[in-house]
């Protein structure tokens, strides 16, 4: 049997640059990674030799890349993604970035920041991604059954206050106004760069519980806006990823009403554009169940109207009329 040719690993220059930026020694980074892993219930025993191997191009297994990124992020005072440390598998990044409803707040921050960074750096790749109907419905189920996030407060990084939250809200309104005036094609790149360069740093900062909840709510709205603009510019696969992350951010904010809006308005509208009426009804029903008692009569009516639309497109007249009747009664 012929021996397989050896493939030379490429030095990880991204990781090297971040270690230098953080002012860490190899041994210091290893200690930080081990401590961070312990907080996640992992018994990691890396040392300076391990870091040297990573710098030579070795890829650690399992959850280690995410832990390394988190450890460096804490030292730098900002979110660092696994792509930024040169440990994102290209195939997995292509198929999965932004499509997961993370079970943890920390994972949600990592996921959405990775999406923003990938959007800025890989615009052609992401804009050409397709939409899977199951990837619309599965996050809605995760949202529906997930317990509330117990805590979102953070103690590491630059201090974030209500003035920062107000700035995000004001920027969102200004960007909405610009979109109405000039169209998404002109404005969407500005939205994505703002999310990637400014908002990611806020999420990685330190904030009290109330500020954190308000911050996640504000960022959820801006992320949903970026998704809407992706639809408007003919990028449904990218919009899907932004909507999923907006849903997760709304969960971190404790805002079930806005989560329902993302499902019944944003995601169901995308499903309608793609010709998936069954998913329209499923998303609308998830919104109704998950936001029950947490929304205004107008929002509740909109959720039922979205369900009616799905049934109508499937040709189910009776179900459409029933849902439409509930929409009228809710007003």
């Amino acid at each position: 049997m012929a021996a397989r040719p050896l493939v030379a690993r490429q030095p990880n220059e991204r990781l090297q640059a971040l270690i230098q930026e953080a002012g860490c020694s190899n041994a210091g980074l290893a200690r930080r990674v081990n401590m961070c892993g312990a907080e996640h219930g992992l018994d990691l025993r890396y040392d300076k030799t391990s870091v040297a191997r990573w710098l030579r191009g070795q890829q650690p297994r399992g959850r280690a890349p995410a832990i390394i990124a988190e450890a460096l992020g804490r030292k730098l005072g900002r979110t660092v993604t696994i792509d930024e440390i040169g440990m994102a598998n290209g195939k997995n990044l292509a198929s999965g970035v932004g499509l997961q409803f993370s079970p943890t707040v920390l994972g949600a921050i990592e996921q959405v920041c990775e999406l923003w960074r990938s959007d800025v750096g890989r615009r052609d790749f992401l804009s050409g991604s397709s939409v899977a109907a199951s990837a619309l419905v599965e996050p809605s189920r995760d949202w529906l059954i997930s317990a509330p996030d117990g805590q979102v407060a953070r103690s590491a990084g630059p201090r974030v206050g209500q003035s920062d939250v107000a700035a995000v809200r004001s920027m969102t309104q200004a960007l909405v106004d610009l979109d109405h005036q000039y169209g998404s094609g002109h404005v969407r790149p500005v939205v994505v760069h703002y999310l990637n360069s400014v908002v990611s740093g806020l999420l990685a900062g330190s904030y009290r519980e109330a500020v954190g909840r308000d911050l996640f709510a504000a960022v959820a709205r801006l992320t949903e806006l970026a998704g809407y603009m992706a639809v408007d510019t003919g990028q449904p696969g990218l919009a899907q990823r932004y909507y999923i992350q907006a849903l997760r951010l709304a969960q971190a904010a404790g805002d079930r009403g806005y989560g329902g809006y993302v499902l019944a308005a944003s995601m169901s509208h995308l499903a309608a554009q793609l010709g998936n009426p069954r998913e329209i009804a499923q998303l609308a029903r998830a919104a109704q169940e998950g936001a029950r008692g947490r929304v205004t009569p107008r929002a509740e009516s909109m959720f039922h109207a979205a369900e009616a639309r799905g049934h109508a497109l499937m040709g189910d007249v009776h179900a459409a009329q029933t849902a439409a009747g509930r929409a009228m009664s809710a007003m």
Side-chain angles (χ1 to χ4, degrees):
M1 180 181 294
R4 289 183 296 179
L6 295 176
V7 179
R9 293 193 180 103
Q10 296 297 316
N12 192 333
E13 296 179 355
R14 291 187 181 185
L15 179 61
Q16 180 69 65
L18 281 175
I19 291 175
Q20 291 176 352
E21 181 185 348
C24 274
S25 65
N26 288 5
L29 175 59
R31 284 194 299 272
R32 289 176 178 274
V33 171
N34 292 341
M35 292 171 60
C36 189
E39 295 178 17
H40 292 275
L42 300 177
D43 182 19
L44 302 179
R45 301 184 182 184
Y46 293 123
D47 55 23
K48 63 181 181 181
T49 304
S50 306
V51 178
R53 287 197 294 266
W54 302 339
L55 290 171
R56 290 196 297 269
Q58 184 183 82
Q59 178 87 356
R61 297 179 180 178
R63 296 167 59 189
I67 300 298
I68 296 167
E70 182 181 346
L72 278 168
R74 291 183 181 184
K75 183 68 166 65
L76 291 167
R78 61 179 175 83
T79 297
V80 173
T81 69
I82 58 174
D83 181 37
E84 197 173 354
I85 64 171
M87 293 185 181
N89 179 290
K91 182 178 179 181
N92 292 337
L93 182 63
S95 62
V97 61
L99 293 176
Q100 305 301 316
F101 186 95
S102 176
T104 66
V105 174
L106 180 62
I109 294 174
E110 167 71 22
Q111 183 84 195
V112 75
C113 289
E114 185 176 343
L115 173 60
W116 298 337
R117 179 177 175 82
S118 297
D119 194 2
V120 169
R122 294 179 174 81
R123 186 170 305 280
D124 292 340
F125 147 65
L126 280 177
S127 63
S129 59
S130 59
V131 179
S134 62
L136 284 173
V137 175
E138 288 173 9
S140 72
R141 295 170 182 163
D142 292 335
W143 173 81
L144 190 59
I145 65 175
S146 293
D149 291 310
Q151 179 177 319
V152 301
R154 290 170 55 96
S155 57
R159 172 64 65 180
V160 177
Q162 287 292 355
S163 62
D164 298 296
V165 177
V168 174
R169 289 172 176 158
S170 296
M171 279 293 295
T172 300
Q173 186 56 56
L175 291 164
V176 168
D177 294 341
L178 287 171
D179 176 54
H180 290 163
Q181 186 172 0
Y182 298 109
S184 297
H186 291 283
V187 182
R188 189 177 180 281
V190 179
V191 175
V192 176
H193 278 279
Y194 177 67
L195 286 167
N196 183 58
S197 62
V198 177
V199 177
S200 63
L202 297 178
L203 290 179
S206 62
Y207 33 81
R208 297 188 301 274
E209 188 68 18
V211 173
R213 299 287 182 181
D214 290 346
L215 177 63
F216 279 106
V219 178
R221 282 160 173 76
L222 185 53
T223 301
E224 191 277 336
L225 177 64
Y228 164 82
M229 290 180 172
V231 174
D232 206 28
T233 53
Q235 303 175 82
L238 187 54
Q240 174 186 31
R241 297 163 193 258
Y242 272 89
Y243 287 157
I244 292 170
Q245 296 315 306
L247 181 67
R248 184 59 184 91
L249 293 168
Q251 173 77 356
D255 192 342
R256 298 292 283 185
Y258 191 71
Y261 172 85
V262 172
L263 291 172
S266 306
M267 294 173 76
S268 72
H269 177 70
L270 180 58
Q273 280 200 335
L274 298 169
N276 296 317
R278 186 177 303 278
E279 283 69 30
I280 299 172
Q282 289 176 334
L283 291 165
R285 284 198 297 269
Q288 294 163 29
E289 292 298 323
R292 192 180 303 279
R294 308 282 292 275
V295 294
T296 64
R298 180 179 179 181
E300 183 180 354
S301 177
M302 186 267 287
F303 296 169
H304 289 297
E307 181 186 356
R309 182 187 189 189
H311 290 309
L313 290 172
M314 285 188 287
D316 190 336
V317 176
H318 176 71
Q321 290 177 338
T322 301
R326 289 197 296 267
M328 293 294 293
S329 299
M331 290 296 288

